Amino acid sequence: MNRKYEEKVNDENLSRVIDKIIKSTKIIDMHTHLFPIQFEELCLAGIDDLLNYHYLIAEAMRWIDIPYDEFWSLTQENRSELIWNYLFAENSPLSEAATGVITILNEMGISIKNKDLNNIRKQFRGIDKHEYISRILDVTGVEKIVMTNDPLDERERELLLKECDPDPRFLYSLRLDKLINNWADSVNSLNKMGYKVNVEIDPATIKEVCRFLIDWISKLNPVYIAISLPYAFDFPDETFRTTLFKECLLPICQEVNKPVALMVGTKRSVNPKLRLAGDALGNAKLDSIEYLCTNYSDNKFLVTMLSRENQHELTVLARKFRNLMIFGCWWFLNIPKIVDEITRIRFELLGTSFIPQHSDCRVFDQLIYKWKHSLEIIKNILIEKYEVLIAKGWPLSESDIKNDINQLLRQNFIDFVNL
Ligand code: FIX
Ligand code: ZN
């Protein structure tokens, strides 16, 4: 920035300067479940996909008293109507996920008068999906989206193998939950894909798993290799998971110089009848993260944890290891109260050397509220922090703020994954 045209920053113009800079900083959304249009039915957008978001299903099923199976046997549209009635029409949409839908409709100029779902649907009808996705990326300032790509998912593998012009706005990540957390169930799929592996992880199997990883890393060139891990994750232990980490994942990631993204703290399928909406969380021990950062110092780890109680300890751990980059307020933590709390702890212990947020979006429109709500919180905290510096006479400039926000919303990720 040409310092000559820079605005001198003071209490009066601080909020406006930060606003301007946040609006002009292109975001890299480092973890989503979004897919470009080339991925056909996996690319979700529009009001019915929004209402069938598993966050809203979990909330609506507290009111809806029909059997779960009956709920799932309904059409997507009929499920939307039930969800709309209970969470928007008959009760106020106070939850973060429900308020998020209202934020989206507002930002996209969709009238919510009379709380009439059919009227809302009419306004979505005829929208060209291509244009709509580009408009959302424009409105939100999201430049790059990191997908979650699982080659052990048959439908997704089919689409990943299909020759098509990749959309440069989408980056791949290699997601290995099935391979690492459900090894025995993955053996069949791997054999079907031509990798000769046995449940008992013998040297030949290790070689084949490494071949699988190398094949998909060269095919997708993922920005990182990711796994979500249960709250009871313990490393090292006597499980297949530890063997696969030690013999395959960590050496390969080191060899190709790609970070491992660990998303720790799930308690999957607490209520399986709720399907995707049935997962919960547990408090994890950080010893395993510490062990990995210490003993695999040539590996880089992107880490997010699901439990509120783990956040302070994780942030302190990041002060000890530069091969550890913490990111995002994941899933049940992505609510204003906790985003504010976690982000303050991180600023106060790490300065700007962390990645404050990822959206975890599953439906395109969600980018609008997930980023608008989080950026508002990050902005308010930055105002407070900079006001303290200004009050102490620190010569804060517009380019200082620009640099800080650029680090937080894109550069920390770019540098850590060598994008
Ligand atoms: O493991 C994950 O990537 C989680 O984000 C998902 O499993 C979860 O369903 C989700 O969508 C959270 O926002
Ligand atoms: Zn996710």
Side-chain angles (χ1 to χ4, degrees):
M1 171 179 284
N2 186 331
R3 289 181 175 270
K4 211 160 102 235
Y5 303 108
E6 251 190 33
E7 270 191 83
K8 188 120 194 43
V9 180
N10 52 46
D11 282 348
E12 273 72 57
N13 65 5
L14 179 59
S15 172
R16 186 172 50 67
V17 169
I18 293 177
D19 244 350
K20 181 177 74 179
I21 292 172
I22 286 180
K23 286 204 173 66
S24 64
T25 304
K26 288 291 177 195
I27 298 167
I28 298 187
D29 193 341
M30 57 150 304
H31 173 64
T32 77
H33 298 269
L34 296 173
F35 294 96
I37 287 209
Q38 292 87 336
F39 283 68
E40 299 172 17
E41 79 282 0
L42 301 187
C43 173
L44 305 179
I47 189 63
D48 284 292
D49 286 335
L50 277 174
L51 292 173
N52 278 271
Y53 184 37
H54 70 83
Y55 289 33
L56 293 173
I57 290 178
E59 292 166 25
M61 288 310 277
R62 294 185 50 70
W63 300 99
I64 299 170
D65 63 357
I66 61 173
Y68 292 107
D69 297 348
E70 192 182 327
F71 175 79
W72 292 117
S73 67
L74 298 171
T75 64
Q76 164 138 323
E77 286 67 29
N78 289 344
R79 285 202 298 267
S80 301
E81 269 129 38
L82 273 178
I83 293 164
W84 181 263
N85 288 344
Y86 282 101
L87 297 186
F88 296 85
E90 290 171 18
N91 299 290
S92 302
L94 296 183
S95 78
E96 172 64 5
T99 303
V101 173
I102 307 304
T103 300
I104 294 166
L105 299 177
N106 270 351
E107 291 291 310
M108 299 315 260
I110 304 234
S111 157
I112 43 180
K113 232 168 48 276
N114 321 326
K115 305 177 186 177
D116 177 355
L117 178 57
N118 286 325
N119 181 34
I120 293 170
R121 279 191 178 127
K122 250 191 246 123
Q123 297 170 73
F124 270 94
R125 216 158 280 141
I127 289 179
D128 171 78
K129 214 172 188 176
H130 259 293
E131 280 165 25
Y132 189 57
I133 287 173
S134 298
R135 192 170 144 215
I136 292 171
L137 294 178
D138 214 32
V139 167
T140 55
V142 172
E143 180 193 36
K144 298 275 183 192
I145 285 176
V146 180
M147 298 182 275
T148 296
N149 305 105
D150 175 3
L152 288 184
D153 176 285
E154 259 182 63
R155 175 60 181 145
E156 194 187 338
R157 183 167 67 247
E158 210 180 297
L159 292 161
L160 286 169
L161 292 171
K162 221 172 77 177
E163 287 314 316
C164 62
D165 296 339
D167 184 325
R169 300 170 296 184
F170 292 77
L171 303 169
Y172 294 94
S173 76
L174 186 56
R175 184 72 180 243
L176 301 175
D177 284 35
K178 292 193 190 74
L179 184 88
I180 300 281
N181 295 329
N182 314 101
W183 167 249
D185 304 343
S186 309
V187 166
N188 270 345
S189 321
L190 287 167
N191 283 321
K192 255 196 256 152
M193 291 163 75
Y195 299 98
K196 296 191 183 49
V197 294
N198 303 313
V199 174
E200 279 319 308
I201 305 181
D202 52 29
T205 296
I206 287 169
K207 224 157 146 256
E208 283 292 89
V209 172
C210 291
R211 185 167 71 86
F212 165 81
L213 292 177
I214 290 292
D215 285 354
W216 280 96
I217 288 171
S218 17
K219 174 159 181 53
L220 302 182
N221 187 23
V223 284
Y224 56 72
I225 286 89
I227 313 141
S228 78
L229 294 160
Y231 70 101
F233 171 59
D234 193 11
F235 185 91
D237 63 6
E238 301 311 313
T239 62
F240 291 140
R241 181 187 292 133
T242 289
T243 311
L244 291 164
F245 259 73
K246 279 187 173 172
E247 305 297 340
C248 309
L249 177 69
L250 294 165
I252 296 279
C253 286
Q254 196 185 320
E255 191 187 309
V256 297
N257 189 21
K258 290 191 184 284
V260 181
L262 303 174
M263 309 177 75
V264 186
T266 56
K267 206 186 263 185
R268 298 285 184 186
S269 282
V270 165
N271 179 353
K273 294 195 183 105
L274 279 172
R275 303 186 184 178
L276 258 185
D279 297 338
L281 69 98
N283 216 358
K285 283 192 307 178
L286 273 87
D287 305 355
S288 306
I289 311 290
E290 186 184 326
Y291 182 95
L292 284 163
C293 292
T294 310
N295 295 285
Y296 294 87
S297 49
D298 295 331
N299 282 93
K300 290 190 281 189
F301 299 97
L302 286 159
V303 176
T304 194
M305 297 188 82
L306 196 47
S307 159
R308 184 187 186 186
E309 289 66 28
N310 287 145
Q311 302 307 319
H312 185 241
E313 200 180 337
L314 176 64
T315 310
V316 171
L317 211 55
R319 293 167 62 87
K320 312 303 152 195
F321 298 102
R322 57 185 173 202
N323 62 337
L324 170 57
M325 174 63 80
I326 61 177
F327 72 94
C329 302
W330 184 24
W331 200 348
F332 306 112
L333 298 173
N334 196 359
I335 53 173
K337 175 175 171 56
I338 299 185
V339 171
D340 182 81
E341 178 185 290
I342 294 174
T343 308
R344 284 174 189 279
I345 291 171
R346 291 171 175 175
F347 272 128
E348 291 162 16
L349 283 170
L350 298 172
T352 54
S353 65
F354 65 97
I355 299 171
Q357 191 58 297
H358 65 273
S359 73
D360 231 320
C361 286
R362 286 181 177 272
V363 183
F364 261 97
D365 322 56
Q366 292 166 341
L367 286 168
I368 294 168
Y369 89 85
K370 300 252 188 173
W371 283 108
K372 187 174 171 63
H373 292 185
S374 292
L375 289 173
E376 193 59 31
I377 296 167
I378 295 168
K379 174 191 156 193
N380 292 335
I381 299 172
L382 281 172
I383 289 175
E384 271 182 47
K385 299 288 174 204
Y386 287 136
E387 276 174 351
V388 170
L389 291 179
I390 292 171
K392 293 178 189 304
W394 176 254
L396 185 70
S397 70
E398 191 171 337
S399 45
D400 295 338
I401 299 177
K402 195 168 173 53
N403 171 64
D404 295 341
I405 292 173
N406 185 56
Q407 286 298 143
L408 292 164
L409 298 183
R410 52 184 295 112
Q411 205 58 38
N412 285 342
F413 181 71
I414 291 172
D415 298 342
F416 199 76
V417 304
N418 290 329
L419 194 59

